[in-house]
Amino acid sequence: MKTEVSEIAAGIYRLSTFVPQVGPNGFTFNQFLIDADEPLLFHYGQRSLFPLISDAVKRVLPLEKLRWTTCSHVESDEAGALNQWLAAAPNATPAHGLIGCNIWLTDMADRAPKPLKNDETIDLGGKKVRWLDTPHIPHNWDAGLLYEETTGTLFSSDLFTMMGPAEPTTESDIVAPAIDTAAKVPFMPWTPQAEPTLRRLAALAPTTIALMHGPTFKGDGAAALNGLADHYKKAPLS
């Protein structure tokens, strides 16, 4: 296996590892690096992938320069290598939403985290990220997403998950493949929060949606998020 590095927006890099053993035709695991005065890594990856991913980050910048780390929710592919990153990047502060800090990060992280309120921003210097509380979207109570305001990039975590290998970017439809994946692997709950949360994300009108499992979408992000919201509005609870 190897981790590919692709610049998906100005100063934003997709670190993608294709794991052929997962699922019927393999699965991509993506982390994202924002290169700014205070660089940020979104998603830590599994512990087993840390050597590959950290080497990929080094192709862009020294690990000592990394200033912030965060992830969507607690799960092995999002948070497994948390403390390996904190050991390798001594100047990095882990950040998460208030709920995540309260229920897991404060206890699990080897360094004190920075709790983020909903809609709180961090000025990275040349880039600015906003934390968005999205409980249970895509799943878990602590879930949140990150929006980079200067490039219009939404880091969507497990939303729009696709199976199989993926190119770095796409302008093709991401809604139908996501619905198909969720039908086969129902990872996102059909709760009353699903549709309004997706509408709230659509109101950001992102021009780039950085999928954790799949390609990065370039295009009308509002239409894609509203399309997914339409599905969860119509889908029966079960």
Side-chain angles (χ1 to χ4, degrees):
M1 291 188 301
K2 59 182 178 179
T3 299
E4 303 285 355
V5 179
S6 304
E7 189 171 14
I8 58 166
I12 298 179
Y13 297 87
R14 173 185 183 259
L15 317 171
S16 183
T17 311
F18 178 65
V19 182
Q21 299 91 338
V22 177
N25 56 344
F27 207 50
T28 56
F29 293 90
N30 301 326
Q31 292 74 40
F32 297 93
L33 177 66
I34 301 175
D35 188 9
D37 293 341
E38 297 187 2
L40 179 146
L41 179 74
F42 186 67
H43 284 152
Y44 302 94
Q46 299 97 321
R47 290 187 299 166
S48 62
L49 294 183
F50 175 75
L52 288 175
I53 300 166
S54 58
D55 282 347
V57 170
K58 291 176 188 176
R59 292 179 228 163
V60 181
L61 52 83
L63 297 188
E64 311 86 69
K65 191 179 176 185
L66 198 61
R67 180 64 181 83
W68 299 97
T69 63
T70 187
C71 67
S72 171
H73 52 274
V74 62
E75 197 172 9
S76 64
D77 54 339
E78 275 84 4
L82 163 67
N83 287 318
Q84 287 168 284
W85 279 106
L86 296 184
N91 299 311
T93 297
H96 205 85
L98 295 174
I99 291 173
C101 287
N102 286 338
I103 67 173
W104 71 274
L105 188 58
T106 299
D107 180 66
M108 291 176 64
D110 287 341
R111 195 144 62 239
K114 176 177 173 58
L116 299 171
K117 298 177 183 177
N118 181 48
D119 274 332
E120 184 172 347
T121 61
I122 301 176
D123 189 340
L124 304 178
K127 297 283 191 293
K128 181 181 286 186
V129 294
R130 187 191 314 179
W131 175 264
L132 306 164
D133 285 338
T134 59
H136 307 293
I137 313 299
H139 44 235
N140 294 7
W141 183 28
D142 63 311
L145 302 180
L146 208 63
Y147 180 62
E148 203 291 299
E149 297 182 346
T150 65
T151 59
T153 300
L154 177 67
F155 300 92
S156 64
S157 183
D158 293 328
L159 292 179
F160 301 106
T161 287
M162 302 181 193
M163 299 289 186
E167 294 296 320
T169 63
T170 186
E171 296 180 6
S172 300
D173 174 45
I174 59 172
V175 179
I179 292 172
D180 180 66
T181 298
K184 295 172 180 173
V185 186
F187 61 87
M188 181 165 152
W190 288 337
T191 73
Q193 298 181 76
E195 184 207 352
T197 298
L198 290 165
R199 302 285 186 209
R200 176 165 59 96
L201 297 172
L204 296 170
T207 55
T208 299
I209 301 179
L211 279 61
M212 186 178 182
H213 306 294
T216 291
F217 174 73
K218 308 288 285 188
D220 189 344
L225 288 156
N226 278 320
L228 197 60
D230 290 343
H231 170 71
Y232 282 97
K233 179 180 179 179
K234 294 183 292 186
L237 294 174
S238 60

